[in-house]
């Protein structure tokens, strides 16, 4: 088949592809090649992938170890029914349990991606507890399937609710210290106490003994890398224990070395009853997700039928990619490298707060970071309030793209989440581009 030009690729996409989260018929940049931390378009322009695409390409693009594992497995067996055991699936399940902690965790239910990981965790929680309600945060995103959308808090859930809200999903407000008017490192104890009190009050009003689970991102990702105040996550775990509620941590974006720990919940003094994953398990090379469950939940399904099933659960080719990716994280001590790169990224982002009128706060843990962009630093007026209809943020992102710095953000945030293999030299090459665009934002939008 004759290769297409970039213009032809873009036109076919425009005419025939349903583009997620967009009005249809718009133009998309055609990408010809990707390698390491870089992408190239058909005109030869080079872009640094400073968001790991959708915070999934943790080990960069075209990593030989993953590509070779996929190729080797494709020559043996691409797919086998979930009812049969396959070497990649069996190996990967044990690897994930071992990394999570085999003293507490037991088994993995594999899915196709992040949304259905959360869907199936919700189903398991209801089966195990016999309760119906699911608590989740307003500042959250858990996927676009029906149940995951109901659990999500940001405005992307609105289309799902057009036919009426699901009565068994209850949202609560999780803390965002900067936007709530507090100062990190100063007000943590006050904020933790306040928000845990509000959460417990809401649980009581909703009847905590009919709440199956509290579903939370270990660290809120797409909505701005919102770091919880000290003690907050442990406090939520304590509330779950108090009322017999299961705690589910969504690790879809924050997992697999992103924070300098294999899983983000490992930054806190807790163990969730279940945690969900996707993205970084294969770095997006082949779709794969799953739910890691505690021994207690695993034991329940020894005596009760697990009413969950997917044709591609534990997909053979995907699991082979997962084995290669997880092996790479461990063999190359990627978490240690991430903490080292945090030592470059975090001080730079904090310096942007000091330098620029438009930067209200910088948040960074590992290579999981975001800047809050404001109109007025003194009043903390956001550049783009929640679900703003005429946001200038796409224009800011376009300016970054012009400089070859690709990333994304939600609402008033710019996310900086590069591939975990990025070097200090590559960071130092790309970060000045962000500085230049922030200077432009100061001059254009902050007077």
């Amino acid at each position: 088949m004759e290769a297409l030009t970039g213009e032809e690729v873009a036109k076919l996409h425009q005419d025939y592809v349903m583009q997620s989260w967009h009005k249809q018929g718009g133009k998309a940049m055609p990408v010809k090649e990707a390698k390491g931390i870089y992408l190239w378009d058909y005109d030869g322009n080079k872009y640094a992938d400073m968001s790991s695409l959708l915070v999934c390409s943790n080990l960069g693009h075209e990593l030989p170890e993953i590509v070779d594992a996929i190729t080797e497995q494709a020559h043996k067996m691409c797919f086998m029914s979930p009812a049969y055991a396959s070497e990649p699936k069996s190996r990967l399940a044990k690897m994930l349990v071992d990394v999570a902690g085999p003293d507490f965790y037991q088994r993995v239910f594999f899915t196709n991606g992040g949304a259905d990981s959360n869907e199936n965790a919700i189903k398991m929680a209801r089966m195990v507890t016999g309760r119906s309600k699911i608590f989740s945060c307003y500042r959250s995103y858990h996927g676009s399937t029906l149940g995951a959308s109901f659990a999500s808090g940001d405005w992307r859930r609105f289309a799902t609710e057009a036919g009426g809200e699901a009565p068994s999903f209850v949202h609560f407000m999780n803390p965002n210290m900067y936007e709530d008017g507090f100062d990190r490192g100063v007000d943590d104890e006050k904020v933790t106490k306040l928000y845990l009190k509000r959460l417990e009050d809401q649980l009581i009003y909703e009847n905590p003994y009919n709440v199956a689970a509290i579903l939370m991102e270990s660290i809120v990702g797409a909505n701005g890398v919102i770091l919880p105040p000290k003690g907050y996550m442990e406090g939520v775990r304590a509330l779950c224990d108090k009322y017999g509620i299961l705690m589910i941590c969504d690790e879809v974006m924050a997992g697999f070395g992103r924070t300098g720990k294999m899983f983000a919940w490992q930054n806190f003094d807790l163990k969730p009853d279940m945690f969900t994953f996707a993205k970084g398990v294969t770095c997006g090379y082949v779709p794969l997700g799953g739910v890691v469950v505690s021994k207690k939940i695993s034991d329940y399904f020894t005596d009760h039928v697990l009413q969950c099933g997917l044709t591609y659960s534990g997909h053979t080719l995907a699991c082979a990619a997962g084995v290669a990716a997880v092996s790479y994280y461990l063999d190359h001590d990627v978490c240690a490298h991430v903490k080292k790169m945090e030592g470059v990224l975090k001080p730079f982002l904090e310096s942007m707060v000091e330098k620029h009128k438009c930067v209200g706060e910088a948040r960074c843990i590992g290579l999981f970071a975001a800047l809050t962009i404001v109109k007025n630093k003194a009043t903390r007026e956001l550049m783009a309030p929640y679900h703003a209809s005429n946001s200038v943020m796409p224009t800011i992102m376009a300016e970054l793209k012009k400089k070859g710095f690709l990333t994304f953000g939600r609402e008033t945030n710019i996310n900086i989440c590069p591939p975990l293999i990025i070097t200090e030299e590559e960071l130092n090459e790309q970060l000045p581009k962000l500085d230049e665009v922030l200077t432009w934002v100061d001059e254009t939008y902050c007077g």
Side-chain angles (χ1 to χ4, degrees), residues 4 23 42 57 74 118 166 172 186 223 228 259 271 310 318 320 364 367 387 432 436 438 441:
L4 300 175
K23 294 179 180 178
Y42 280 74
S57 302
N118 289 319
F172 64 97
V186 176
N223 283 270
T259 67
K271 289 184 175 68
L310 296 159
C364 180
L367 288 173
H387 204 201
E436 292 171 13
L438 293 173
V441 175

Side-chain angles (χ1 to χ4, degrees), residues 231-395:
Y232 178 74
M233 294 296 289
E234 291 85 351
V236 174
R237 171 77 266 186
L239 287 175
C240 288
D241 293 339
K242 181 176 180 178
Y243 295 110
I245 298 167
L246 298 179
M247 185 178 191
I248 305 170
C249 282
D250 179 340
E251 290 274 332
V252 170
M253 188 173 283
F256 295 100
R258 178 58 54 185
T259 67
K261 301 281 189 181
M262 187 59 86
F263 301 112
W265 59 260
Q266 294 171 329
N267 290 283
F268 311 111
D269 185 17
L270 61 85
K271 289 184 175 68
D273 299 286
M274 292 182 270
F275 66 91
T276 61
F277 65 87
K279 294 186 184 286
V281 69
T282 66
C283 302
Y285 288 38
V286 185
L288 182 68
V291 188
V292 180
V293 305
S294 68
K295 289 183 176 181
K296 181 178 179 180
I297 292 174
S298 176
D299 288 345
Y300 175 87
F301 289 111
T302 301
D303 299 320
H304 300 80
V305 174
L306 174 62
Q307 300 283 357
C308 299
L310 296 159
T311 297
Y312 301 125
S313 176
H315 191 282
T316 315
L317 204 61
C319 285
V323 169
V326 174
S327 296
Y328 192 95
Y329 288 119
L330 299 176
D331 294 345
H332 292 80
D333 201 358
V334 169
C335 288
H337 177 73
V338 168
K339 293 306 289 184
K340 183 179 179 182
M341 292 304 98
E342 179 189 300
V344 177
L345 179 60
K346 187 174 181 179
F348 174 85
L349 295 179
E350 290 173 345
S351 75
M352 294 298 95
V353 178
E354 299 300 319
K355 180 176 181 179
H356 293 290
K357 292 184 290 184
C358 68
V359 182
E361 185 186 42
R363 298 173 296 281
C364 180
I365 179 170
L367 288 173
F368 205 25
L371 298 175
T372 295
I373 307 302
V374 297
K375 287 184 180 179
N376 187 312
K377 190 178 291 190
T379 63
R380 302 193 184 189
E381 180 186 359
L382 303 178
M383 188 67 74
Y386 177 74
H387 204 201
S389 57
N390 295 305
S391 173
V392 302
M393 296 304 293
T395 303

Side-chain angles (χ1 to χ4, degrees), residues 402-422:
K402 288 177 185 177
K403 294 184 178 294
F405 188 111
L406 291 183
T407 190
F408 74 97
R410 297 216 51 76
E411 311 304 342
T412 201
N413 302 296
I414 298 176
N415 288 7
I416 303 96
C417 311
L420 307 186
I421 59 168
I422 196 168

Side-chain angles (χ1 to χ4, degrees), residues 48-292:
D49 178 7
M50 295 301 289
S51 65
S52 304
L53 295 182
L54 297 175
V55 196
C56 53
S57 302
N58 285 10
L59 297 177
H61 304 281
E62 295 301 300
L63 186 75
E65 286 84 347
I66 302 178
V67 173
D68 290 347
I70 294 171
T71 304
E72 182 180 347
Q73 185 61 47
H75 286 293
K76 295 178 182 177
M77 178 174 65
C78 288
F79 169 66
M80 184 48 56
S81 166
Y84 300 102
S86 69
E87 181 177 339
K89 178 170 61 176
S90 299
R91 280 188 180 276
L92 183 57
K94 184 179 187 302
M95 293 172 78
L96 294 172
V97 168
D98 285 346
V99 172
D103 59 320
F104 189 81
Y105 296 101
Q106 179 67 49
R107 285 189 169 90
V108 182
F109 178 75
F110 287 108
T111 68
N112 302 320
D116 50 352
S117 295
N118 289 319
E119 291 268 3
N120 283 280
I122 289 168
K123 288 175 67 176
M124 288 185 213
R126 287 172 167 165
M127 284 183 267
V128 170
T129 64
R131 303 174 179 184
S132 62
K133 292 185 179 180
I134 303 296
F135 266 55
S136 55
C137 305
Y138 275 112
R139 292 162 172 147
S140 73
Y141 180 68
H142 298 291
S144 64
T145 52
L146 192 64
S149 287
F150 279 132
S152 296
D154 76 28
W155 57 264
R156 286 175 287 181
R157 77 185 193 279
F158 291 171
T160 305
E161 294 176 351
E165 290 192 41
S168 54
F169 287 86
V170 181
H171 290 102
F172 64 97
M173 188 61 77
N174 48 326
N176 181 343
M177 293 188 67
Y178 179 80
E179 292 189 22
D180 295 343
F182 298 101
D183 295 317
R184 191 171 304 281
V186 176
D187 297 321
D188 287 62
E189 184 177 350
K190 179 195 304 182
V191 173
T192 292
K193 183 177 180 181
L194 173 65
Y195 276 84
L196 289 177
K197 174 65 164 58
R198 289 176 177 174
L199 175 55
E200 184 165 23
D201 287 346
Q202 195 170 353
L203 285 168
I204 290 169
Y205 277 102
E206 290 286 342
N207 180 9
Y209 301 106
N210 197 26
V211 178
I214 296 179
L215 169 62
M216 302 177 68
E217 293 171 271
S218 302
I219 293 172
V220 173
N223 283 270
V225 189
I226 303 172
L227 305 178
K230 186 176 181 180
Y232 178 74
M233 294 296 289
E234 291 85 351
V236 174
R237 171 77 266 186
L239 287 175
C240 288
D241 293 339
K242 181 176 180 178
Y243 295 110
I245 298 167
L246 298 179
M247 185 178 191
I248 305 170
C249 282
D250 179 340
E251 290 274 332
V252 170
M253 188 173 283
F256 295 100
R258 178 58 54 185
T259 67
K261 301 281 189 181
M262 187 59 86
F263 301 112
W265 59 260
Q266 294 171 329
N267 290 283
F268 311 111
D269 185 17
L270 61 85
K271 289 184 175 68
D273 299 286
M274 292 182 270
F275 66 91
T276 61
F277 65 87
K279 294 186 184 286
V281 69
T282 66
C283 302
Y285 288 38
V286 185
L288 182 68
V291 188
V292 180

